[in-house]
Amino acid sequence: MNSFIKMLLVVPDQGEYRMIRDLLGQVLHTDYQLEWRDSLDQALKDILTEPVDVILLDYHWPAGNSTHLLTAARSQGCRVPIIVMTDQMEAEVDRTAIRHGASDYLIKGRIDSQLLERTLRYAIERKAAEQRLADLAHYDPLTGVANRILFRERLEHAVRVAQRDQSAFTLMYLDLDAFKQVNDSFGHDAGDVLLMTCAERLNRCIRVTDSVARIGGDEFTLLLEQVHAPKDVAQLAQKVIDTLAEPITLAGHLIRIGCSIGIASYPEAGNNLDALQKHADLAMYQAKQVKGSHYHFFSEALNHEVHRFLKLESELRLALQEEQFVLHYQPRVDLSTGAVLGVEALLRWQHPQRGLVTPDTFMSVAESSGLIVPIGYWVMRQACRALLHLQEQGLPEIIMAINLSVCQFNDDALVVNVGEILQQERVEPGRIEFELTETTLMENLDRIALCLRALSHLGCSFSLDDFGTGYSSFVHLQRLPIAAMKIDRTFIADISNRLEDSRLVAAMVTLAHSLGKDVIAEGVETVEQQQLLLEFGCDQVQGYFYCAPLPLDTLLQKIADGVSAVTEPL
Ligand code: C2E
Ligand code: CA
Ligand code: CA
């Protein structure tokens, strides 16, 4: 069977063109489609835009030799085998040509059709084999896009070109949301399909001059050589987000893929490879802090913010090791009888320089760094000990409320660990109530529902914290074993001077009761608020009006004295 080879002949004169054409005409079994260029500049342009199988190039030209074409073609990524034709007895020339990227050489006076055919074929085959090896080393076998090694090479090249030409380019780091969940819930085959789909969609978003790479499990990069104006970059990032979000069917489930994108542009975000990579990564990290798909540009302010974050993270780690955390406890009071039904454990950080620090300054760092998991276990253990102490001091029926952030459910061992802590600390699970924040609860409902059911089998109960601030659907809430709603203190703040607020809170109480849940109002600070809540039929209250969060020993004293007098927060 005849094969077909496309060849570009780059020689200055027509005599040589005719000679090669005639020699190729004598070759059996292979059809050559021959293109002739008699200018090096034109040839270079065509080499980079019109793919051919092999190039035959004259070494000597009237204006000098052709090594610059070789170098330019290779440095701009041309992988086609190039065979150089030299005159006789020019061993040095042959070596120079090979060094500049020629695949082989032919000596003009000695070429016959057989030698020509063999040389061309051999060069093509060798190049193809090299290419296969290079592909293995440079491409991700699953998705077919560039791997980390090729990405780095391309980035190095982009930096060199930009430095030389004083041009610009943009780097994007992209991380898929929920990839781990897909792998865990639908299996690795589904995870693979997801990655392949993403790679294909990313390729769809970019121009031919841009490139996609997969540099880690679910991390991709985009290198954009042409897009640079922030507006265009932002538009492209949004396009990527929208394209990835198109529904995809995995293992029979229709899902949408979210992602976080960090953007670093040369030269603003760094003028070298490492700075750009680090800054794109930081920007991505920042994008991740926002719920849902999001992109974020690197800036110095961001850099500063990230350093602050990292510093706080390492301080928190140290705080955990060195036992700088303490718990304060705020009573929950039965609104109609004034009896203390329980206490809520609230985390404090006894900072060696800054003094007592409240969670609003460090909770988001603890959550996004994952440190809330070990801190959370420390809280549970500590709260259990405090509960035993309170029981020993004559409060046997009291409930200990412990805040649980949704990140803590990322720990697969949560249920087992809680069970273990309760057992080791000899606390009856029925005395523990976990407070879950509404805003984040809906994100991972299925998984959390499973954990809650397991924990409620142990005997623990749950309340919904900050009720009113999130977007809980009641249908979903009904699926969770939640016994009480805690109305967020922002709703309570104005009930005595804004009619709308008081109506809203009244409605919330009615609603919660109609769902069979108890109602706890937080942040009660005044007697007027207390009176209104009593009218609305609210069950329990918590707030400075009764008692601020206190250390355990002070709390006992306070309870003994009665909690209905106003106390200032510590
Ligand atoms: P939260 O669960 O809504 O806790 C109630 C917050 O309101 C506490 O702030 C408490 O000190 C404050 N507060 C209580 N009564 C009043 C009042 O009458 N007026 C006003 N203005 N505020 C009042 P805190 O202790 O700073 O805690 C802030 C948040 O940090 C908590 O909000 C909770 O979401 C989180 N948190 C605290 N401890 C832990 C913990 O151990 N684990 C987890 N995951 N989160 C915690
Ligand atoms: Ca709470
Ligand atoms: Ca709350």
Side-chain angles (χ1 to χ4, degrees):
M1 198 180 74
N2 277 16
S3 57
F4 174 78
I5 288 177
K6 207 168 161 189
M7 173 168 140
L8 185 71
L9 180 64
V10 189
V11 293
D13 74 60
Q14 204 175 29
E16 276 179 358
Y17 160 66
R18 288 213 184 101
M19 174 192 74
I20 298 292
R21 185 195 60 193
D22 294 346
L23 287 174
L24 288 177
Q26 296 164 27
V27 172
L28 300 174
H29 309 305
T30 307
D31 285 334
Y32 280 87
Q33 184 194 351
L34 188 60
E35 291 268 345
W36 174 38
R37 295 288 175 278
D38 60 0
S39 131
L40 286 174
D41 289 343
Q42 188 56 47
L44 180 61
K45 266 192 212 128
D46 295 346
I47 285 171
L48 296 173
T49 51
E50 290 168 28
V52 292
D53 299 308
V54 63
I55 298 164
L56 192 55
L57 170 70
D58 210 342
Y59 186 77
H60 292 289
W61 286 70
N65 69 41
S66 60
T67 46
H68 74 275
L69 180 135
L70 277 171
T71 325
R74 290 301 181 224
S75 75
Q76 292 181 56
C78 165
R79 299 210 184 103
V80 179
I82 304 179
I83 296 156
V84 166
M85 288 193 291
T86 63
D87 293 324
Q88 286 201 22
M89 308 305 287
E90 284 187 314
E92 188 47 44
V93 168
D94 309 335
R95 275 198 288 275
T96 312
I98 299 283
R99 237 190 0 256
H100 283 85
S103 312
D104 206 345
Y105 61 90
L106 286 165
I107 296 167
K108 278 186 198 160
R110 299 198 193 147
I111 308 176
D112 60 27
S113 83
Q114 243 182 15
L115 177 69
L116 179 61
E117 152 77 351
R118 215 173 47 233
T119 309
L120 294 175
R121 222 166 232 300
Y122 187 55
I124 293 171
E125 274 161 21
R126 202 178 46 206
K127 208 64 189 173
E130 277 172 16
Q131 193 55 49
R132 274 195 296 278
L133 283 178
D135 284 356
L136 281 178
H138 284 111
Y139 290 88
D140 170 35
L142 178 67
T143 60
V145 299
N147 64 11
R148 183 181 274 280
I149 297 169
L150 181 56
F151 161 67
R152 210 182 147 82
E153 283 175 14
R154 283 179 178 163
L155 187 58
E156 271 168 3
H157 179 253
V159 169
R160 265 200 313 275
V161 171
Q163 280 169 348
R164 188 192 63 203
D165 303 348
Q166 306 221 312
S167 54
F169 68 89
T170 296
L171 176 63
M172 283 187 187
Y173 268 33
L174 183 147
D175 187 280
L176 304 180
D177 295 343
F179 175 66
K180 188 176 171 318
Q181 277 99 306
V182 167
N183 253 346
D184 291 351
S185 350
F186 304 137
H188 288 268
D189 287 346
D192 285 355
V193 173
L194 176 71
L195 291 171
M196 287 189 278
T197 311
C198 288
E200 178 253 313
R201 290 182 182 179
L202 289 174
N203 266 320
R204 236 200 285 153
C205 290
I206 57 170
R207 309 184 191 185
V208 278
T209 45
D210 306 331
S211 56
V212 179
R214 177 172 169 230
I215 60 164
D218 61 346
E219 278 188 33
F220 289 89
T221 61
L222 300 181
L223 189 61
L224 313 166
E225 310 228 13
Q226 305 277 314
V227 195
H228 181 61
K231 179 175 90 5
D232 299 338
V233 174
Q235 225 167 36
L236 186 92
Q238 191 55 51
K239 181 171 159 197
V240 166
I241 288 175
D242 295 343
T243 313
L244 287 186
E246 287 165 17
I248 159 175
T249 311
L250 288 178
H253 297 261
L254 202 63
I255 68 155
R256 284 175 193 277
I257 312 162
C259 66
S260 304
I261 302 177
I263 303 169
S265 293
Y266 177 99
E268 301 84 28
N271 61 1
N272 63 65
L273 188 97
D274 291 333
L276 282 165
Q277 280 183 287
K278 193 176 112 201
H279 291 162
D281 204 25
L282 288 181
M284 180 176 83
Y285 195 78
Q286 201 68 12
K288 266 180 179 301
Q289 309 305 311
V290 183
K291 195 169 158 265
S293 291
H294 197 73
Y295 61 82
H296 203 100
F297 281 86
F298 172 81
S299 69
E300 266 317 311
L302 167 64
N303 200 12
H304 185 77
E305 171 65 19
V306 170
H307 278 108
R308 203 186 62 83
F309 180 102
L310 293 175
K311 183 158 168 267
L312 192 53
E313 184 185 335
S314 70
E315 283 181 342
L316 283 176
R317 214 174 283 279
L318 195 72
L320 188 61
Q321 269 168 22
E322 309 211 323
E323 308 228 2
Q324 294 171 3
F325 290 118
V326 288
L327 291 183
H328 283 186
Y329 303 89
Q330 186 177 37
R332 259 195 209 173
V333 177
D334 183 317
L335 186 54
S336 47
T337 67
V340 175
L341 300 179
V343 294
E344 176 179 5
L346 291 159
L347 187 61
R348 300 287 178 266
W349 179 9
Q350 189 66 57
H351 193 282
Q353 284 88 38
R354 278 179 264 156
L356 199 65
V357 180
T358 49
D360 46 317
T361 49
F362 63 84
M363 194 47 78
S364 69
V365 175
E367 286 179 341
S368 51
S369 63
L371 274 172
I372 190 61
V373 172
I375 294 175
Y377 291 132
W378 178 89
V379 169
M380 283 175 211
R381 211 173 270 285
Q382 211 59 23
C384 284
R385 291 175 189 171
L387 178 64
L388 287 186
H389 186 69
L390 290 170
Q391 289 178 334
E392 283 162 14
Q393 299 299 314
L395 297 160
E397 300 294 314
I398 211 159
I399 294 284
M400 177 60 74
I402 299 175
N403 291 285
L404 205 53
S405 87
V406 167
C407 318
Q408 294 175 255
F409 288 93
N410 291 340
D411 179 11
D412 294 333
L414 177 72
V415 176
V416 174
N417 288 345
V418 170
E420 226 171 68
I421 291 173
L422 297 183
Q423 203 173 32
Q424 285 167 357
E425 302 299 331
R426 293 197 209 88
V427 160
E428 197 196 316
R431 300 271 139 238
I432 300 291
E433 181 180 304
F434 290 109
E435 299 193 357
L436 310 156
T437 307
E438 184 186 18
T439 33
T440 35
L441 195 60
M442 292 297 139
E443 265 174 39
N444 249 320
L445 195 69
D446 290 339
R447 204 179 133 82
I448 292 179
L450 275 178
C451 285
L452 294 195
R453 248 169 265 141
L455 287 171
S456 68
H457 280 310
L458 279 182
C460 303
S461 55
F462 303 94
S463 59
L464 188 69
D465 212 343
D466 304 344
F467 175 48
T469 58
Y471 308 96
S472 315
S473 111
F474 290 107
V475 180
H476 288 141
L477 279 183
Q478 282 302 77
R479 289 174 45 203
L480 301 174
I482 286 174
M485 314 285 228
K486 293 189 80 177
I487 302 181
D488 191 64
R489 65 165 187 264
T490 51
F491 295 98
I492 307 298
D494 287 326
I495 44 171
S496 47
N497 42 34
R498 278 175 54 128
L499 194 59
E500 303 94 276
D501 284 27
S502 87
R503 282 193 181 136
L504 190 61
V505 169
M508 282 164 117
V509 174
T510 312
L511 181 77
H513 281 162
S514 72
L515 292 170
K517 323 267 183 204
D518 276 353
V519 184
I520 306 163
E522 1 172 79
V524 180
E525 295 181 352
T526 66
V527 68
E528 290 81 13
Q529 291 168 345
Q530 181 200 39
Q531 285 309 315
L532 279 170
L533 288 164
L534 201 58
E535 273 174 35
F536 301 156
C538 177
D539 304 290
Q540 296 180 40
V541 275
Q542 204 180 322
Y544 298 160
F545 178 68
Y546 300 91
C547 186
L550 295 172
L552 192 58
D553 43 353
T554 334
L555 174 84
L556 270 166
Q557 188 56 49
K558 176 76 189 155
I559 293 178
D561 296 348
V563 291
S564 44
V566 185
T567 25
E568 283 307 311
L570 283 187

